[in-house]
Amino acid sequence: MRPSAVRLLNILVPVKRTVDYAVKIRVNPDQKGVDLNVKHSMNPFDEIAVEEAVRLREKLKDEVKSIKVVTIGPPKAAETLRTALAMGADAGIHIEVPDSAPAPEPLGVAKALRAVIQREKDGVDLVIMGKQAIDDDAGQTGQMLAGLMDWAQATFASKVVVDPKAKEVQVTREIDGGLEELKCRLPLVVTTDLRLNEPRYASLPNIMKAKKKPIQKLTPAELEVDLAPILEKVKVSEPPKRVGGGKVENVDQLIAKLKEAGITSVKS
C-alpha cells in the first residue's frame, strides 16, 4: 500500500490598509473620527505576518503550496495587496467596499475571512495575521476567526515553527510573566507580535513582478456577509496636551509646588 501524500500548506494572510505609523493623527472637527486624507500603508503587524509566511516558505520550500493575502477596503487598498505581493505572496483577494463605507468591525472582518476560507478550493491550513491594527487597536479579529472556524489559535506569537508532516505548529507567545510555548494542530490561526521578525523591504524587481500577480475582487454581498458596524462611535478626542515641567531650587519649593497641585502627604 502506497503512503498517502503529505498535504502541502496553504497560508492565508489578512492585511489592512491603515494610516501610516509615522503620520501625526488629527481628529476631525465633528469628533467622529480622524483625518484620513494622509499617507496610508500596510498595518505594521500585518507586515510581520506577511514576512513570517514568506520565511516559512523559504524554510519549508515546496511544502508551502501557496501564500494568499486578503484585504477589506476601498479601491486604494489594492496598493496594500501589491506591497504584500512584492514581499513574496503569490496572489491577493480584495474584498472591495466604497470609499464612503464605514470601517468594518472585528466581527464583520472575521465573518468575511471565514467566508473567504470556505471558498478556497484547496483549503487553508494556516492563517497568520497581525495581533491588532494600529488604527483601532481592537486586537480581536484573530480570536473571533478562530472561534467561528472552531480552529486552534495562538496569539501574540514571537516564534513559529511549523512541522507539515506532523501537522503541528510550535508557537512561542509573549505573556505578562514571560514566554509561553504552545503546540497546536493545524488548521490554526496565529497572530503576530512585534518581536516575531523584521519585515523585509521589497526590491524593485519584486515590485515589478507583483504587478503581474493575480488579485481576485470580491464584494461583501458575494461572500454573504454584512460589514455594517453594530457599534456606535460616540466621540473621538485627542489626549490632553502635555504641560511643560519646571525646575525648583530646593526641597521647600518642591513641596510648595506639590501642594499647589493638590498633592499632599498620606498619613499612615
Side-chain angles (χ1 to χ4, degrees):
M1 183 176 177
R2 296 177 62 186
S4 59
V6 176
R7 176 180 167 87
L8 302 181
L9 287 176
N10 292 300
I11 302 175
L12 182 69
V13 185
V15 297
K16 185 177 184 181
R17 176 178 181 263
T18 62
V19 173
D20 189 83
Y21 69 92
V23 170
K24 180 176 173 57
I25 301 297
R26 296 190 299 270
V27 176
N28 288 335
D30 62 3
Q31 294 190 317
K32 294 293 184 181
V34 300
D35 181 12
L36 298 178
N37 295 315
V38 293
K39 180 184 176 183
H40 284 64
S41 60
M42 190 190 305
N43 176 47
F45 290 103
D46 297 339
E47 281 188 304
I48 294 170
V50 175
E51 175 67 25
E52 191 63 20
V54 174
R55 290 191 186 192
L56 285 175
R57 164 173 279 164
E58 292 171 345
K59 182 178 181 181
L60 300 174
K61 308 295 182 184
D62 294 337
E63 290 180 295
V64 174
K65 182 178 181 181
S66 72
I67 300 173
K68 284 189 177 181
V69 288
V70 57
T71 194
I72 302 173
K76 287 184 178 180
E79 300 169 5
T80 304
L81 288 178
R82 292 294 177 195
T83 299
L85 295 175
M87 291 175 68
D90 303 315
I93 300 171
H94 186 183
I95 304 170
E96 191 169 319
V97 296
D99 284 305
S100 58
E105 295 170 351
L107 182 57
V109 174
K111 288 180 177 179
L113 294 176
R114 177 182 61 177
V116 167
I117 292 170
Q118 291 171 340
R119 288 170 62 102
E120 288 297 302
K121 293 180 180 179
D122 295 329
V124 173
D125 305 287
L126 179 61
V127 175
I128 307 177
M129 60 195 301
K131 70 173 184 178
Q132 66 193 74
I134 61 171
D135 51 4
D136 59 17
D137 279 333
Q140 299 170 353
T141 306
Q143 294 90 324
M144 288 179 172
L145 174 61
L148 291 172
M149 296 298 299
D150 196 23
W151 286 7
Q153 61 175 296
T155 56
F156 314 124
S158 59
K159 184 178 180 181
V160 177
V161 179
V162 180
D163 184 348
K165 293 182 176 62
K167 297 182 180 178
E168 290 182 346
V169 182
Q170 290 271 146
V171 179
T172 302
R173 60 189 301 266
E174 299 190 356
I175 59 175
D176 289 342
L179 299 176
E180 179 182 65
E181 292 189 4
L182 301 178
K183 181 185 284 187
C184 307
R185 295 282 294 175
L186 294 171
L188 170 69
V189 176
V190 173
T191 69
T192 62
D193 214 331
L194 280 174
R195 279 160 286 280
L196 179 59
N197 61 53
E198 185 174 339
R200 70 194 67 192
Y201 288 101
S203 64
L204 182 58
N206 286 339
I207 292 173
M208 299 307 293
K209 290 177 184 177
K211 294 181 179 180
K212 298 181 180 180
K213 292 182 179 180
I215 293 180
Q216 178 187 10
K217 286 193 176 184
L218 296 171
T219 64
E222 288 176 291
L223 296 175
E224 298 181 345
V225 295
D226 183 4
L227 296 179
I230 57 176
L231 301 176
E232 179 188 356
K233 190 177 292 183
V234 178
K235 184 180 179 182
V236 178
S237 59
E238 295 183 4
K241 292 185 178 180
R242 192 171 179 179
V243 180
K247 291 183 178 181
V248 294
E249 298 294 333
N250 51 52
V251 175
D252 291 335
Q253 288 185 11
L254 173 60
I255 294 173
K257 289 287 185 182
L258 292 174
K259 287 182 177 179
E260 287 177 14
I263 300 172
T264 58
S265 61
V266 178
K267 294 181 180 180
S268 57

